[in-house]
Amino acid sequence: MLYNPLEQFEIVKFIAMEGPLFGYIQIGLTNIGFYLLLASFFLIFLHLLYNKEGVLGLGNTLILCVESLFGFILQLVKNQIGPKGQPYFPAIYSLFLFILFLNLIGLIPYSFTATAHFALTLGFSSTILFGVTLLGLHRHGLHFFSLFVPAGTPLPLVPLLVLIESVSYLARAFSLGIRLAANMLAGHILLHIISSFSWKFITGSLLGIIMIPLPLLFLTLLYGLEIGVALIQA
């Protein structure tokens, strides 16, 4: 029996309510909505675990992991934005944890990878770019548009460079969203195909049973690579 590797990304209704009472409106919960809610509850739960001193009520290993992620994102904000970016750190850190949770939970067998859907990731990236643009206009006013004119540009080249910089700026909304979804999609399809071939190889002959450690080692390395990709894409 052949299995379609894209079936794991199919959106399925968990709860659906429709009928004369609702007219043409369908009220329900799909698997992608469920995992988005799960990621939201994870962030709320993580926030509630902090006590007044800001220490998580968790084990030492988990505390170390969370603090390492916290320090990494904080340093990233300091390097990229500077001291003025500190007020935006909670939003950036929450977004990082939200995407990271969705990426990692998708690696659990028989779960669902919400970030493999382009509609979701493009929605994230477009909304963030729109918010950053509004924030830039609010803080800098019309001076914000100087971003599209590199310093020292000759006046005759200004219209062309403004066009190029504008396209480059707006393209980030598409490039970041597509990159996240494409990496998640490709990684999970590869895991599905390799694991299917490995299972057929192991169960297909005596040689496969003898060489079980080889495909298991390869799958373990591939799984580790996917964990790294999930972290990098977040």
Side-chain angles (χ1 to χ4, degrees):
M1 181 179 179
L2 297 177
Y3 294 94
N4 185 357
L6 295 177
E7 286 181 359
Q8 57 184 311
F9 307 111
E10 183 180 356
I11 297 178
V12 180
K13 290 183 179 179
F14 285 168
I15 303 172
M17 293 183 292
E18 54 184 323
L21 180 63
F22 300 101
Y24 292 100
I25 300 176
Q26 295 183 355
I27 302 176
L29 178 67
T30 62
N31 49 0
I32 189 171
F34 172 78
Y35 280 94
L36 289 175
L37 286 175
L38 197 62
S40 302
F41 289 144
F42 167 74
L43 290 181
I44 296 172
F45 177 71
L46 198 62
H47 174 73
L48 294 177
L49 283 176
Y50 279 94
N51 59 23
K52 294 181 180 180
E53 288 74 27
V55 180
L56 285 170
L58 304 173
N60 292 332
T61 303
L62 192 52
I63 288 176
L64 183 61
C65 292
V66 173
E67 288 182 348
S68 298
L69 289 175
F70 184 93
F72 171 74
I73 299 301
L74 181 60
Q75 190 62 41
L76 190 66
V77 171
K78 288 181 179 179
N79 294 338
Q80 297 294 327
I81 308 178
K84 293 183 179 180
Q86 298 300 312
Y88 311 109
F89 169 74
I92 296 172
Y93 184 59
S94 298
L95 181 65
F96 168 76
L97 289 179
F98 188 79
I99 296 177
L100 179 62
F101 179 84
L102 291 175
N103 289 349
L104 291 179
I105 200 172
L107 290 173
I108 299 175
Y110 301 103
S111 65
F112 182 79
T113 311
T115 46
H117 286 263
F118 291 99
L120 177 66
T121 57
L122 287 174
F124 274 155
S125 57
S126 301
T127 304
I128 292 168
L129 184 68
F130 181 70
V132 168
T133 303
L134 291 181
L135 182 62
L137 290 171
H138 174 72
R139 289 185 61 90
H140 304 287
L142 294 178
H143 185 67
F144 172 78
F145 293 103
S146 64
L147 174 70
F148 303 104
V149 184
T153 302
L155 188 59
L157 293 179
V158 168
L160 178 61
L161 287 178
V162 167
L163 177 62
I164 294 174
E165 291 294 330
S166 299
V167 172
S168 175
Y169 181 78
L170 295 174
R172 296 176 187 176
F174 299 96
S175 62
L176 293 175
I178 291 174
R179 185 174 65 184
L180 172 58
N183 276 278
M184 294 298 103
L185 192 70
H188 285 71
I189 290 176
L190 183 61
L191 273 175
H192 185 280
I193 293 175
I194 296 298
S195 59
S196 298
F197 275 118
S198 298
W199 177 251
K200 290 180 180 179
F201 174 72
I202 292 172
T203 58
S205 63
L206 180 61
L207 178 62
I209 297 176
I210 296 173
M211 299 181 65
I212 283 180
L214 187 60
L216 291 180
L217 176 61
F218 183 75
L219 282 173
T220 302
L221 293 175
L222 184 59
Y223 198 84
L225 176 63
E226 286 304 307
I227 293 176
V229 170
L231 286 165
I232 292 172
Q233 290 306 311

